Amino acid sequence: MAAAPKEAVNTIALEEIHTEGQEPPKGQKTFTVEEAVETIGFGRFHIALFLIMGSTGVAEAMEIMLIAVVSPLIRCEWQLHDWQVALVTTMVFFGYMVFSIALGLLADRYGRWKILLLSFLWGAYFSLLTSFAPSYIWFVFLRTMVGGGVSGHAQGLIIKTEFLPTKYRGYMLPLSQVFWLAGSLLIIGLASVVNPTIGWRWLIRIASIPGIILILVFKFIPESARYNVSTGNMAAALATLRRIAEINGATMPEGVLQEPPKERRGRFKDLIHPKYLRTTLQIWIIWLGIAFAYYGVILASAELLERDLSCSSTAPLGEEDPGPASEESRSPCHCRPFGPSAYQTMIISTAGEIALNPVNILGINFLGRRLSLCITMGCTALFFLLLNICTSSAGMTGFLFMLRALVSANFNTIYIYTAEVYPTTMRALGMGTSGSLCRVGAMVAPFISQVLMSASFLGALCLFSSVCVVCAISAFTLPIETKGRALQVCIATPGVPA
């Protein structure tokens, strides 16, 4: 899920482009890349494209989720404090945030395919190096570099989106969640077998394999025809479109491929235009809070399992146990690897990410975006507090399952709302700034789940819950409801209806 914010940017930004018209040569038929893509339709090429580019989500999920399953082991090996364990995850997202900006600019200049290949080579190289990290400092540095490489995986989604006909784009975003879920489940399953036997270093090496395999199959996917046209390389774009038509057994539109005029790009000041200022500020709050809660749930799950806070014993949570195990758990550098039941709980709770999808879709379409998001955020706040209840392991697993389902539903709703509320000229910019704040929330979450939770379990849960309540209020009071509202092309001028 975490797979996340970048998907909506790329999907929606292509749906509408506000351009100035160009007159074609008199009497000559012309067509655009968009018209060619629509004419060719969906076929075998797009199935292969979806599987290959969608699989980038598997590799990304494995690299991002890796820290959750190796944290107990590196804590043991290097006798780390809670803040040192939290710093690893924070630096991964820091690398992700910084490199995503640089790689995005490079992709616009040198091409999506080249940057995608570079990012996978970069990520695989530094991931393999991580498995040989001689110290904690080297581990943090190398995982930061891996986070930077993973940020370039967004180009796979761009290529996939730019080749898809319009009516199929709406299905691709929800389906892409399956790849993220598959990667998350795969790394947890591998960890349950590899960690207790040959160790976390071999887990990292094995987790690099999907990315390496994808590098080998990228050659079957061409550079985006839209990108080639934007750079004036009409011959390459036309050759690519003809190849796709041949694979799909379709025909090309008649005429000459037309180069579109330069589009107007959004500006940051558009986001704080009086018409959108309040909406923008509230959306930023919601994005930050949702990412904070999402990664907080993932990391809190690991902490709950590692520290065995499910109250499965008869002793209350706050009651001291004079035994040696309790003394070890109170140590700042305690060492307690996951057991089989912990991995099973992680797998079950992770599967919850798609549990509420049908209900979420119904809520979005019948209750509206604002009310639906308000309800799911409110329920997220409630279930954070329920984690403090002493219950059985099965009860704790159920709470975690519902939390993962709810935070995933929150992400789905805010993706759709943000994409719909802004006009075409600033839609990508609005999603991009929201995505940056999303990473900030992800960077803060580890210090709450892995540091504050050790000092005050209830205090950490109350903080997560409070943030979700603020997001629920922000969602309910959003000034614009986008349900049934046509997508806007540009910012409305005063006195003119949008």
Side-chain angles (χ1 to χ4, degrees), residues 250-269:
T251 57
M252 289 279 292
E254 296 182 3
V256 178
L257 181 60
Q258 180 183 20
E259 182 176 0
K262 185 177 294 185
E263 63 187 84
R264 177 189 181 275
R265 297 186 183 275
R267 299 163 296 177
F268 182 80
K269 69 178 184 179

Side-chain angles (χ1 to χ4, degrees), residues 418-495:
T418 308
E420 291 175 336
V421 76
Y422 289 119
T424 299
T425 54
M426 54 188 284
R427 187 172 296 132
L429 181 63
M431 291 297 302
T433 54
S434 299
S436 296
L437 285 174
C438 173
R439 300 303 165 198
V440 173
M443 290 168 64
V444 174
F447 287 94
I448 307 303
S449 294
Q450 295 174 311
V451 180
L452 179 59
M453 188 167 283
S454 298
S456 175
F457 184 64
L458 180 59
L461 294 181
C462 287
L463 180 57
F464 280 120
S465 182
S466 298
V467 170
C468 291
V469 169
V470 171
C471 291
I473 295 172
S474 295
F476 186 75
T477 57
L478 281 166
I480 301 172
E481 171 58 70
T482 61
K483 175 192 169 188
R485 179 175 180 259
L487 294 178
Q488 308 299 297
V489 176
C490 58
I491 298 177
T493 56

Side-chain angles (χ1 to χ4, degrees), residues 1 19 28 113 120 142 180 220 248-249 305 328 378 394 447 482:
M1 287 303 300
T19 61
Q28 186 179 37
W113 190 91
F120 267 84
L142 293 172
W180 177 274
F220 297 107
N248 285 2
L305 297 171
E328 179 186 20
F447 287 94
T482 61

Side-chain angles (χ1 to χ4, degrees), residues 297-361:
V297 170
I298 293 174
L299 297 171
S301 300
E303 288 298 301
L304 284 167
L305 297 171
E306 185 182 349
R307 298 172 184 274
D308 194 22
L309 292 178
S310 62
C311 296
S312 55
S313 64
T314 56
L317 261 176
E319 186 175 312
E320 293 189 1
D321 185 349
S326 178
E327 187 66 32
E328 179 186 20
S329 67
R330 288 197 297 271
S331 169
C333 302
H334 73 279
C335 176
R336 187 167 185 169
F338 292 154
S341 61
Y343 287 115
Q344 182 181 7
T345 299
M346 291 183 74
I347 290 174
I348 294 173
S349 62
T350 300
E353 292 207 6
I354 60 171
L356 289 183
N357 267 8
V359 177
N360 185 221
I361 291 172

Side-chain angles (χ1 to χ4, degrees), residues 51 112 136 170 218 278 306 308 381 406 416 418 420 489:
L51 292 176
R112 286 85 162 91
Y136 167 74
F218 282 158
R278 178 181 160 189
E306 185 182 349
D308 194 22
L406 288 165
I416 294 172
T418 308
E420 291 175 336
V489 176

Side-chain angles (χ1 to χ4, degrees), residues 154-278:
Q155 303 309 317
L157 176 72
I158 294 178
I159 294 174
K160 180 178 68 176
T161 305
E162 292 183 340
F163 279 125
L164 283 170
T166 302
K167 72 176 183 178
Y168 290 96
R169 291 176 193 158
Y171 298 100
M172 293 302 103
L173 182 57
L175 285 177
S176 295
Q177 292 178 340
V178 174
F179 292 101
W180 177 274
L181 177 63
S184 300
L185 294 175
L186 181 57
I187 192 64
I188 296 171
L190 284 172
S192 67
V193 176
V194 176
N195 279 346
T197 54
I198 54 180
W200 64 267
R201 295 179 185 271
W202 276 104
L203 176 65
I204 293 178
R205 293 162 194 160
I206 295 172
S208 302
I209 294 176
I212 296 172
I213 293 175
L214 281 171
I215 292 173
L216 300 177
V217 300
F218 282 158
K219 64 180 181 180
F220 297 107
I221 301 299
E223 176 59 270
S224 166
R226 295 175 190 268
Y227 168 78
N228 284 330
V229 167
S230 70
T231 58
N233 193 350
M234 308 299 288
L238 189 58
T240 296
L241 292 170
R242 285 173 175 166
R243 176 188 166 193
I244 296 172
E246 182 180 354
I247 294 173
N248 285 2
T251 57
M252 289 279 292
E254 296 182 3
V256 178
L257 181 60
Q258 180 183 20
E259 182 176 0
K262 185 177 294 185
E263 63 187 84
R264 177 189 181 275
R265 297 186 183 275
R267 299 163 296 177
F268 182 80
K269 69 178 184 179
D270 291 338
L271 294 176
I272 55 176
H273 184 279
K275 180 178 174 62
Y276 293 102
L277 176 60
R278 178 181 160 189

